[in-house]
Amino acid sequence: AFFALPASIKGKDGHPVNALYGYLDMVARLVRERGPDEVVHALDDDWRPAPRVAAYEGYKSERPPEPEDLTPQFEALVEVLAALGMARAWAEGWEAEDAIGSLTSHPSRGDRFDIVTGDRDLIQLVHDPDVRVLFTRRGVSELDLLDEAAVEEKYGVPPKRYADMATFRGDPSDGLPGVPGVGQKTAVQLVKAYPSIEALVKDARAERRTGAPLQRSPGLRSRIREAAGYLETMQHVVPIRRDLEVVVEAGGRDDEELDRLGQRFKV
């Protein structure tokens, strides 16, 4: 929302509210068009969790600082969501994706979750029939609905192996280089050929010829052997946590507070 709308959208105090307005507009559209029983807004408690950084120091280390005008709008958004009576959720010391993973991984009977996101990491959480991803392409006006079949058709792997594919391929936005020379196509081939990263590394290290796909490509086999330590480390970095205690805050709607905030952030 921040980058989609101009910073010239400012409140009465002269501070930009473009992200605040844009986010609330998207939420309103989702609620109006999809009619969910409940909306939960997942927040980062720490965007570089200590356990991930301890496993791999380069995790998100080169990301530029967030724009100066964005940080206050996060704080304003939390105030508005609280006044609306909408739930906010986070896992202490972890990212929003980990809170989402932990919230959706143990559904009660009949629960159905739609995760609205532009972050492909969350594709690994898709699980029929409980969890789908609504992947944003143009705000929320165009969404790709991803269930298990759609994930496999689009990315060539099932959701439960998406994290393995992402590990091979890497993710520059998170500072994860992947295996040198391995792109999307080869990453998919490796996932299909081996049941796990452990099995792949074991085959790469094997002295005898097993006839497995990796053995037929000496160059790739060598790169996997050299990247074995990285691949093992990534298993503590790439998978989303699903076992965390999630803090959920929700109260009643406060119309007086909404009126006050409406005046404060009025453009």
Side-chain angles (χ1 to χ4, degrees):
F2 179 81
F3 292 107
L5 296 175
S8 58
I9 302 175
K10 297 181 178 181
K12 294 172 68 175
D13 61 2
H15 293 119
V17 289
N18 54 326
L20 176 64
Y21 271 69
Y23 185 87
L24 293 172
D25 281 347
M26 288 190 285
V27 172
R29 180 167 184 162
L30 285 167
V31 171
R32 184 172 63 249
E33 295 182 354
R34 297 192 172 269
D37 296 313
E38 186 176 2
V39 178
V40 179
H41 302 263
L43 311 171
D44 282 338
D45 188 63
D46 189 340
W47 65 280
R48 289 188 76 214
R52 287 196 172 107
V53 175
Y56 187 73
E57 192 173 348
Y59 182 66
K60 294 185 177 180
S61 63
E62 296 185 5
R63 279 199 181 180
E66 66 184 30
E68 184 179 342
D69 290 334
L70 178 56
T71 304
Q73 295 192 64
F74 278 117
E75 298 164 0
L77 176 63
V78 171
E79 289 186 69
V80 175
L81 294 177
L84 285 166
M86 285 188 158
R88 290 88 59 211
W90 64 92
E92 292 186 6
W94 292 91
E95 299 175 68
E97 62 188 35
D98 301 297
I100 295 171
S102 298
L103 280 174
T104 61
S105 292
H106 305 287
S108 300
R109 186 173 182 179
D111 279 349
R112 298 290 184 269
F113 297 98
D114 280 346
I115 302 170
V116 184
T117 183
D119 184 349
R120 288 182 174 82
D121 289 342
L122 287 151
I123 290 171
Q124 63 189 272
L125 299 179
V126 171
H127 181 269
D128 293 347
D130 308 314
V131 185
R132 306 184 302 183
V133 161
L134 303 180
F135 194 81
T136 58
R137 289 195 293 131
R138 187 189 295 271
V140 297
S141 62
E142 294 182 23
L143 298 167
D144 286 336
L145 194 157
L146 301 176
D147 57 12
E148 288 187 21
V151 171
E152 189 143 17
E153 180 180 357
K154 187 176 182 65
Y155 296 100
V157 298
K160 64 182 179 181
R161 300 295 310 281
Y162 186 89
D164 289 347
M165 183 196 70
T167 295
F168 297 137
R169 183 195 61 204
D171 185 349
S173 68
D174 284 345
L176 306 179
V179 178
V182 174
Q184 176 82 13
K185 183 178 179 181
T186 303
V188 170
Q189 291 173 345
L190 291 173
V191 168
K192 289 183 174 180
Y194 294 92
S196 66
I197 288 178
E198 292 88 349
L200 170 73
V201 171
K202 182 178 180 180
D203 189 42
R205 287 171 168 167
E207 294 300 328
R208 63 186 181 87
R209 296 285 177 173
T210 64
L214 194 61
Q215 300 287 348
R216 298 196 292 269
S217 176
L220 180 57
R221 181 186 180 213
S222 176
R223 290 195 295 273
I224 294 295
R225 292 177 73 167
E226 292 171 1
Y230 171 82
L231 291 172
E232 291 167 0
T233 295
M234 286 302 102
Q235 294 181 72
H236 303 286
V237 176
V238 176
I240 290 173
R241 292 290 299 269
R242 308 183 190 208
D243 57 350
L244 302 175
E245 182 177 345
V246 180
V247 180
V248 180
E249 276 193 359
R253 178 185 171 112
D254 186 337
D255 286 332
E256 287 187 10
E257 179 66 3
L258 281 173
D259 286 342
R260 186 186 71 81
L261 292 170
Q263 288 302 313
R264 176 181 164 193
F265 299 125
K266 185 177 180 180
V267 297

